[in-house]
Amino acid sequence: MPRATRITVMLLFAAWVVDYIDRTVINFALPSIGEDLGLDHTQQGLLVSVFFIAYALVQVPGGLLADRYGALRVGIIGLTAWSVFTGLTALAWSFSVLLAIRFLFGLVQGVFPAAAIKALAERSRPEQRTTAAGWTNSSNAAGLLLAAVIAGVLLPTVGWRVMFAVISVLGVAVILAWRRWMPEPLVQDEPPMADAAPSAERRMVLFSPALLGFAVMFFGYDVLVWGVTAWTPTFLHEQRGISMAGIAFAAVPSTLAAAAGVVLGARLSDRIGGRPRVIVVPAMAFTAAMLFVLPRAEAFPLFVLVGTVMSLVAGLAYMPAFSVPLRALPSSYIGAATGVIIFGGQLAGVASPLAFGFITDHVSYTTAFETMAIGPLLALLAATVVPQTADAFRAMLARRTAAAVPSKERLP
């Protein structure tokens, strides 16, 4: 990889770590918040889901803003704003106030993902983008790990309010690093997608079945991630009697395994030229089966072992949801296009934590885990029908553009 790509990966890695700490530390704090504010499981699930409602709403607008005003500018604004709302979480005195803060937090953090992917695309070659993005997105697991460690140390000592106030300052260091060391974009030779005018071409890309298929794939993957991740700490605390500190530190192997799976899946995707079917189908089939095993693992060490293996295999399917579009699209379209894919994942973040909590309240934890298998199965099905290579993706877009764009909108 060029030096500019490697530096960009490191800077984005740091930003994503802060993103995931701020976003997911609430998963470990839910029992304390629920006890403090008198919330049931459904209300606790709504605290997670409302973030994703807002987060999902701004994915495509955030990508369009990044394409128009620049990835770094939009990314820094988002990072600054979400750090402020992380700090404000500590001041919430009721369920309704906390719900509003989480919604606003989701809005401002939601502009970041597409801007980050666009910044990376501008500083990497198309044939290396999935691998570079895989290293960047392995930070998700690192952020989860650090969130677990921070929660394990701060929750039993200073409480959830002080914990949110402390972590709100992490974004400042990342902002300073971005402004100091982020390299300039690479000079790239990227031909236009088709012969349509730019506005018409962009619409064809964003609303194409090809791109929406990858959004569905990411939705299915994130049903698993956000449903299970949000509720596992509470499940272990309530059903197994494990302390939150013990749960936090036991998350280390599964989060490291998830990071390894993301990187490995990204490298495999670049090695085979995309072809998500090859990776996603077996990985998601195995993961769906493990969701029936996990809640029945009575011994805590066995639960950790099953969760770790499941996290490793599931992680393989993360980057294949982006691999073909990243290889096929010019960097000028990456912000909005990846915003569409991420939007699919965030819809899962809205639905799965709330559904998990509702099913837990009305049926059982075991049934809630099993219900999450719908996500991996949906991702598996989507992976079988989306274009498998960059050439196939561009060809599908070209046919759609030729059929849908009026002749007067075509370029001479």
Side-chain angles (χ1 to χ4, degrees):
M1 290 184 186
R3 183 173 181 272
T5 305
R6 295 195 301 272
I7 294 173
T8 303
V9 166
M10 290 187 288
L11 292 173
L12 290 174
F13 186 99
W16 275 112
V17 167
V18 174
D19 177 298
Y20 264 70
I21 291 173
D22 290 358
R23 184 194 312 186
T24 62
V25 74
I26 195 172
N27 298 341
F28 299 96
L30 279 177
S32 299
I33 294 172
E35 182 178 350
D36 190 14
L37 300 181
L39 311 181
D40 61 23
H41 291 109
T42 301
Q43 289 174 309
Q44 292 176 45
L46 187 57
L47 287 176
V48 179
S49 293
V50 74
F51 163 85
F52 286 103
I53 292 172
Y55 196 85
L57 287 175
V58 296
Q59 289 307 308
V60 176
L64 292 169
L65 288 172
D67 285 340
R68 181 167 182 176
Y69 296 108
L72 295 189
R73 180 181 299 175
V74 173
I76 288 175
I77 290 173
L79 208 164
T80 302
W82 95 58
S83 297
V84 171
F85 281 103
T86 298
L88 290 176
T89 303
L91 304 178
W93 61 87
S94 69
F95 173 65
S96 58
V97 171
L98 185 54
L99 202 64
I101 290 173
R102 291 293 296 178
F103 181 82
L104 295 172
F105 172 62
L107 284 180
V108 296
Q109 195 175 71
V111 303
F112 178 76
I117 296 176
K118 178 178 175 63
L120 182 61
E122 292 173 337
R123 293 161 179 81
S124 59
R125 305 300 183 198
E127 66 274 11
Q128 298 175 330
R129 284 175 183 166
T130 307
T131 297
W135 282 108
T136 299
N137 286 289
S138 67
S139 60
N140 298 355
L144 286 170
L145 174 59
L146 287 175
V149 172
I150 290 170
V153 172
L154 295 184
L155 278 174
T157 55
V158 298
W160 66 273
R161 295 182 185 276
V162 175
M163 180 184 71
F164 278 103
V166 169
I167 64 175
S168 68
V169 303
L170 296 176
V172 176
V174 175
I175 293 169
L176 294 175
W178 273 37
R179 296 181 68 89
R180 174 67 178 83
W181 289 300
M182 184 65 76
E184 293 297 316
L186 299 177
V187 176
Q188 305 199 45
D189 181 18
E190 296 178 326
M193 289 294 303
D195 61 349
S199 61
E201 182 181 291
R202 190 178 297 274
R203 289 195 300 271
M204 291 300 100
V205 171
L206 297 184
F207 295 104
S208 67
L211 189 63
L212 294 177
F214 287 98
V216 171
M217 190 192 310
F218 199 50
F219 173 90
Y221 170 83
D222 267 351
V223 165
L224 162 77
V225 171
W226 295 119
V228 174
T229 299
W231 280 102
T232 292
T234 305
F235 166 77
L236 290 172
H237 183 65
E238 293 183 354
Q239 298 294 302
R240 301 287 190 265
I242 310 299
S243 70
M244 293 308 297
I247 293 168
F249 289 109
V252 171
S254 62
T255 51
L256 292 177
V262 171
V263 172
L264 181 58
R267 290 185 63 84
L268 287 173
S269 291
D270 272 342
R271 284 286 188 90
I272 63 177
R275 294 181 172 83
R277 183 188 303 127
V278 175
I279 301 172
V280 174
V281 170
M284 290 290 93
F286 177 85
T287 302
M290 288 299 98
L291 286 170
F292 288 81
V293 176
L294 188 64
R296 294 177 171 82
E298 294 292 337
F300 184 49
L302 179 60
F303 185 96
V304 173
L305 176 61
V306 173
T308 298
V309 174
M310 186 179 76
S311 296
L312 173 65
V313 177
L316 296 172
Y318 186 112
M319 288 312 303
F322 297 87
S323 59
V324 173
L326 284 176
R327 295 174 71 90
L329 293 171
S331 59
S332 59
Y333 283 21
I334 289 292
T338 55
V340 171
I341 299 173
I342 296 169
F343 175 79
Q346 305 324 305
L347 286 181
V350 174
S352 55
L354 186 58
F356 198 112
F358 181 84
I359 294 169
T360 298
D361 277 336
H362 293 83
V363 188
S364 68
Y365 268 114
T366 298
T367 303
F369 274 102
E370 293 170 350
T371 303
M372 295 299 104
I374 293 172
L377 294 176
L378 184 60
L380 182 157
L381 292 173
T384 64
V385 300
V386 295
Q388 298 296 302
T389 65
D391 288 342
F393 187 92
R394 285 191 290 261
M396 184 176 291
L397 290 178
R399 289 194 299 271
R400 176 175 168 81
T401 301
V405 177
S407 58
K408 66 179 181 180
E409 291 192 33
R410 295 178 183 271
L411 296 178

